[in-house]
């Protein structure tokens, strides 16, 4: 796993300049705290997997998940 907290996505997956970054990080943090598999993206309404769920899977699936805890480059 990458050397960063599960609450912090890799910048290539969610840029610091993203207009909905604060809202995304808030709903992601709530999903992590509740142990949920994911959350509804506040901008698109699509279901996004949480870093906690992805970490429990054990490996990266290679599909470019926003909160992939294995991305470190």
């Amino acid at each position: 796993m990458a050397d960063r907290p599960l609450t912090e996505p890799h910048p290539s997956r969610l840029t610091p300049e993203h207009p909905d970054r604060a809202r995304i990080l808030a709903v992601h943090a709530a999903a992590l705290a509740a142990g949920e598999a994911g959350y509804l993206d506040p901008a698109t309404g699509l279901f996004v997997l949480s870093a906690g769920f992805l970490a429990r899977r054990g490996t990266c699936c290679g599909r470019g998940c926003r909160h992939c805890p294995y991305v470190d480059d």
Side-chain angles (χ1 to χ4, degrees):
M1 289 202 353
D3 186 26
R4 67 175 184 281
L6 292 179
T7 54
E8 185 60 35
H10 191 275
S12 70
R13 302 293 171 92
L14 183 64
T15 66
E17 298 82 22
H18 191 288
D20 292 314
R21 182 178 172 84
R23 290 190 323 163
I24 289 168
L25 293 180
V27 294
H28 179 249
L32 282 175
E36 295 173 352
Y39 62 91
L40 294 179
D41 182 280
T44 66
L46 297 173
F47 189 76
V48 179
L49 295 171
S50 73
F53 174 85
L54 296 168
R56 289 188 295 275
R57 287 183 47 197
T59 60
C60 176
C61 66
R63 294 186 179 181
C65 299
R66 177 183 284 165
H67 299 287
C68 181
Y70 301 99
V71 176
D72 61 3
D73 55 346

